[in-house]
Every structure is written in structure tokens, then in C-alpha cells.
Amino acid sequence: MQSTDTIVALATPAGVGAIGVIRLSGPDAISIANSVFRGKDLNKQASHTIHFGTIRSEETILDEVLISLFIAPHSYTKENVVEISTHGSQFIIESIIRLMIKKGARAAKPGEFTLRAFLNGSMDLSQAEAVADLISSNSAASHQVAMQQMRGGFSNQLKALREQLIHFASLIELELDFSEEDVEFANRSQLQQLILQIDGVITELIQSFELGNVIKEGINTVIAGRPNAGKSTLLNALLNDDRAIVSHIAGTTRDTIEEVLNIRGINFRLIDTAGIREATDTIEAIGVEKTMQKISQSAVLIYVFDVLALSASEISEDIERLHRPGLTFVAVANKIDLSINDRLKEIKLPEGVSFVAISAREKKHIDDLKNMLYEKAVGNRLSDNQTLITNIRHVEALQKTQESLQRVLQGIENPVTSDFLAMDIKQALHYLGEITGSVTTDDLLDNIFSKFCIGK
Ligand code: GDP
């Protein structure tokens, strides 16, 4: 499906930079660029070559540029693509884009280059979505997951499942042709086994979203504890600088502060909250309410207590108040520089709650805490080359696939006619296809690509 028009956009970030790259894609990309370029005749050059020259508007030289040529189908979009590297002035970039539009190009819509790459078969839909993830990846782990998806890891798995289902669908279609004769080409128990197997894979993929999402978005982590426990000091120790304000007066960290801590490629989004002590004034009360609210939105809670100031029963009380099922809870005994006495031994923690003793001020055992955070939040769930779902759209499509497959299973157990089975299998195929894009609607594509930036 080749486009008839040629699109243009700035591919590098807007603003001043050393260079800016303007990209053109479409049948006339090379001739449009050639019409304003003084240098070699671009129409006569080979693919994957770079040419130096000037770009002129009438007789005014706009800039000295380098032009890279990619001749269809050997390009990102599989169309003719020209990339013009200019000096990074906003004036030059805007003038050149305007000139290209005057010469017949059209301003590209968000994600339109990648949309064309998808429509022309360069990649499937989940790979196109991975391009957006890759561009926005901000940690080693999110980069790795996006890269794996872009290279087709996830798609290949789905394609294999889909092909097996298509095989059965065609056998059942065949039965419909012979409906008078009451024959079964599709072996029901084999179909049942296949569906159970697919169901298992889909369940695993859906479950992987929890970790996949954590890797893509980071892990919301709250640091909570009574005033003066050392939360702000700990935040600074973890981040290794002085971003949160530390003070001697109880309850001064009134608002929440959010910072990102990267532990072995995983982003922990750290939120330092006001104390959890019963509030005595209203500003503190707002802070406290916020603490509970932030905890309810978080996956990990670091509960900090002052080993000297709190009794074992007070600590237990706090933990009871803050703990909830599903929350990864890490208790931190702070200020062990002041005393490493028997108090630590008295503290009894509920099952599943781990505890690490540190000195935030002296930055002692901070690495132990980091290791514990990683182990509890990620552990050994992240391995090389594993497929992780990071996109809620994919989860929804997988859930719908699963529902259709359940109906097929029911239809096998309480036998229904082949046409009903065929219908449910088709539904399942439809939803699986929505992920890779073998089934698409304009709405779906609009929805996905409108989230891209212009130029991608
Ligand atoms: P927050 O109210 O929980 O945020 O507590 P802060 O981080 O503001 O710390 C309260 C006080 O405890 C400050 O004076 C810190 O210097 C002190 N403090 C924090 N951590 C330690 C520590 O590990 N050892 C000692 N001795 N003092 C600490």
C-alpha cells in the first residue's frame, strides 16, 4: 500500500541544536529535495549515499547541508526517504520545511513515518508501538524490553499461536461445507489441548504485564515514617545528593517530593512523605492524608524508623497501620550509628516484612537497602530474552482472546455445532490479530499513532 503523497517533518527535537535532521518520505521525496539542492543531481545517486551541497530558496542560500538518500524499498518507511542534516537553527529548519511544503510535500502527522513503515510491512503493530517505547525508554531495563519487542520477540510468539488456531479454524470451516454429512475434520480433543496450551501462554503474557509495566513506568515507592525518623536524609543518601530539604524540626517535609532512583536498570520513583504521626496542625494533616494516599498508589513502601526513639510496640503499631496485602514492605531501622544495642533484637516484624539496619546520615548499609529493594520488587523475575507485555492495549486484547477461547472450550465440552465453534475461534483470531496489526481499524491506528510525536 504505497502512499501517493510525500510527507516532511523535523526528526530531531525542536529547539536549537548543533544539527537538525529534516526527514521526507514518499514518492517525490528525492525530486522535491533535488529541486532546491545545489550539488549533485540527487535523482541520479545510489541509495544509502550522503551528499554535500546547499539548499536555496530562490537565490538565497538557506544553509549548507548533508543529504542522505534511501531509495524505496530500502528505507524505514519502505518509501523514498531523504534526510537533510542542517545546522540546528530554528529559522533554518522552519524555512527548509516551509520550502519543502511549497515544493509539494505535506507536513507529517504525529507518528506518520512509523505508520507508513507499518502499512508498508516493515514491522507489525506491536513492533511499531515498541518504537515509541524505545524512544521514551529511560532505563537500561525499559530499553531492553522495548528493544526485544521491536525486534519481534513478542510478535513471533503470537504469530505461532495464531497460525495453529488458523489451522483448526480452516478445518472447522471445512466441516461447515460438509454439514449435511456430520463429519469432524477438526479433532476436538486436539483442539481442546491446543486451546489449553494457548490459554497458558496468554495467561503468562498477561501476568508479565505487572513486571513489564513496572519496567516501563518505574516502581512507585513511598518512603514513610514518623517525623524525624530520617526519611529526607535517607532519600538524599539514596540519591547521593541534597535534593530534599533536611531539617531538625519534626514534620517539615510537608509536601511529597518525587525523585527517580535507578537500581540495576530499574527505576524506583521515590516519594518522600510527611510523617505518619497523628497530625496536630492542619498543614501536617494534609501531609499525613497524602501519605496514606501515596501509599495506596504505590507498589513498594520503605518504612523508616528511628531505632532509639521508638519502642518495639510502636514500630509494630506503625507497620500494622501501613501494611496492606500486595504491598512490598521494607522496614528500615535508621540511626544505627547512635546505638547498635539490643533494641534491634527486640523488634518483631510480621511475616514477609524484611528489615535492614542503616545509618542514613553516615550513608552506612545504603547498598544493602538498595539490594533488598531490587530483590523484593524484581527478584529473579527478570531474565534475558523473556517476553514482557508493557502495553495495556495488548493486555486487553489478550483478555478478550482468552474469553473467546473459553467459549470455544465450553463449546467443545457441551458440544455445539461447528458454526458456533468457528465463530468463537474467529473472534479469538481477531483479538490476537489486533495486537500484531493483522487486523486493524482506522480508529485503532489513529489511537496508537496519534500518541507519537511529529517526525517519528
Ligand atoms: P524526616 O523528618 O523523617 O525526614 O527526618 P530528617 O531526614 O529530616 O532527619 C531528622 C534528623 O535526624 C536530622 O537532624 C538528621 O540529621 C537526623 N538523622 C537522619 N538520619 C540519621 C542517622 O542515620 N543518624 C543520626 N545520628 N542522625 C540522623
Side-chain angles (χ1 to χ4, degrees), residues 40-220:
K40 283 185 188 158
D41 182 352
L42 298 176
N43 287 317
K44 294 187 179 144
Q45 306 307 316
S47 185
H48 294 68
T49 53
I50 301 179
H51 308 278
F52 173 78
T54 55
I55 291 211
R56 295 176 192 233
S57 169
E58 309 296 339
E59 279 316 299
T60 314
I61 296 179
L62 286 177
D63 198 9
E64 291 187 336
V65 300
L66 284 177
I67 287 192
S68 313
L69 288 183
F70 305 89
I71 296 174
H74 305 291
S75 73
Y76 180 62
T77 57
K78 293 210 175 204
E79 301 175 335
N80 283 339
V81 168
V82 170
E83 286 181 5
I84 308 172
S85 303
T86 71
H87 292 98
S89 126
Q90 232 159 324
F91 171 75
I92 293 175
I93 288 164
E94 277 167 21
S95 306
I96 294 180
I97 290 178
R98 223 175 292 133
L99 187 60
M100 296 299 158
I101 291 172
K102 200 167 130 198
K103 296 289 178 185
R106 161 172 79 68
K109 290 188 234 137
E112 203 171 0
F113 291 93
T114 308
L115 173 64
R116 288 187 174 196
F118 162 66
L119 292 175
N120 295 330
S122 253
M123 56 180 77
D124 74 21
L125 202 52
S126 75
Q127 288 171 303
E129 287 171 301
V131 172
D133 288 349
L134 188 70
I135 291 168
S136 62
S137 66
N138 55 4
S139 69
S142 61
H143 167 260
Q144 186 196 330
V145 171
M147 193 57 118
Q148 218 238 335
Q149 189 178 327
M150 199 177 73
R151 295 175 71 90
F154 172 40
S155 315
N156 291 340
Q157 210 166 346
L158 288 186
K159 250 179 240 156
L161 294 180
R162 240 184 136 240
E163 264 157 35
Q164 293 181 64
L165 256 190
I166 286 173
H167 169 69
F168 270 97
S170 59
L171 289 179
I172 289 183
E173 295 279 338
L174 209 56
E175 287 176 12
L176 296 179
D177 293 343
F178 290 86
S179 56
E180 310 284 284
E181 292 157 45
D182 195 23
V183 285
E184 270 191 15
F185 292 112
N187 182 310
R188 296 300 189 261
S189 70
Q190 276 177 8
L191 176 60
Q192 196 172 21
Q193 278 194 338
L194 172 69
I195 290 179
L196 288 174
Q197 188 200 340
I198 295 178
D199 190 63
V201 174
I202 290 182
T203 303
E204 240 172 67
L205 285 174
I206 292 175
Q207 282 170 352
S208 79
F209 177 69
E210 193 195 337
L211 183 61
N213 194 47
V214 148
I215 288 173
K216 189 170 152 190
E217 307 290 342
I219 304 179
N220 280 353

Side-chain angles (χ1 to χ4, degrees), residues 228-233 246-248 334-335 337-338 359-361:
N228 263 349
K231 300 180 293 295
S232 311
T233 313
V246 182
S247 108
H248 291 280
N334 190 28
K335 309 196 186 181
D337 54 299
L338 295 179
S359 165
R361 196 163 73 182

Side-chain angles (χ1 to χ4, degrees), residues 133-366:
D133 288 349
L134 188 70
I135 291 168
S136 62
S137 66
N138 55 4
S139 69
S142 61
H143 167 260
Q144 186 196 330
V145 171
M147 193 57 118
Q148 218 238 335
Q149 189 178 327
M150 199 177 73
R151 295 175 71 90
F154 172 40
S155 315
N156 291 340
Q157 210 166 346
L158 288 186
K159 250 179 240 156
L161 294 180
R162 240 184 136 240
E163 264 157 35
Q164 293 181 64
L165 256 190
I166 286 173
H167 169 69
F168 270 97
S170 59
L171 289 179
I172 289 183
E173 295 279 338
L174 209 56
E175 287 176 12
L176 296 179
D177 293 343
F178 290 86
S179 56
E180 310 284 284
E181 292 157 45
D182 195 23
V183 285
E184 270 191 15
F185 292 112
N187 182 310
R188 296 300 189 261
S189 70
Q190 276 177 8
L191 176 60
Q192 196 172 21
Q193 278 194 338
L194 172 69
I195 290 179
L196 288 174
Q197 188 200 340
I198 295 178
D199 190 63
V201 174
I202 290 182
T203 303
E204 240 172 67
L205 285 174
I206 292 175
Q207 282 170 352
S208 79
F209 177 69
E210 193 195 337
L211 183 61
N213 194 47
V214 148
I215 288 173
K216 189 170 152 190
E217 307 290 342
I219 304 179
N220 280 353
T221 304
V222 171
I223 304 179
R226 299 193 183 207
N228 263 349
K231 300 180 293 295
S232 311
T233 313
L234 174 60
L235 183 68
N236 292 340
L238 283 169
L239 295 169
N240 234 341
D241 63 26
D242 284 336
R243 256 169 285 179
I245 309 136
V246 182
S247 108
H248 291 280
I249 310 151
T252 44
T253 317
R254 291 219 150 102
D255 216 334
T256 55
I257 297 171
E258 202 173 319
E259 300 275 5
V260 179
L261 169 69
N262 188 294
I263 307 177
R264 287 188 249 163
I266 302 286
N267 282 340
F268 289 78
R269 312 181 73 86
L270 290 178
I271 300 158
D272 171 27
T273 63
I276 56 160
R277 184 190 55 171
E278 294 302 324
T280 46
D281 66 57
T282 42
I283 300 175
E284 179 81 2
I286 294 164
V288 173
E289 202 179 295
K290 250 193 196 155
T291 302
M292 300 316 280
Q293 195 192 335
K294 290 282 178 193
I295 291 173
S296 71
Q297 295 162 357
S298 295
V300 177
L301 172 68
I302 303 174
Y303 164 63
V304 187
F305 59 90
D306 181 330
V307 271
L308 280 186
L310 288 202
S311 70
S313 64
E314 282 172 317
I315 294 165
S316 306
E317 242 170 64
D318 282 357
I319 292 178
E320 213 166 284
R321 266 179 73 194
L322 296 171
H323 204 300
R324 66 169 166 77
L327 184 71
T328 298
F329 198 105
V330 175
V332 174
N334 190 28
K335 309 196 186 181
I336 55 161
D337 54 299
L338 295 179
S339 146
I340 330 174
N341 60 15
D342 295 338
R343 199 179 267 272
L344 281 179
K345 293 194 195 116
E346 291 166 22
I347 302 167
K348 288 198 179 48
L349 295 170
E351 222 183 314
V353 175
S354 316
F355 133 69
V356 58
I358 66 160
S359 165
R361 196 163 73 182
E362 313 216 326
K363 294 196 167 77
K364 282 217 178 92
H365 305 303
I366 300 296

Side-chain angles (χ1 to χ4, degrees), residues 12-36:
T12 43
V16 180
I19 58 169
V21 177
I22 295 165
R23 182 151 64 168
L24 286 144
S25 177
D28 304 325
I30 298 172
S31 57
I32 290 174
N34 200 44
S35 69
V36 294

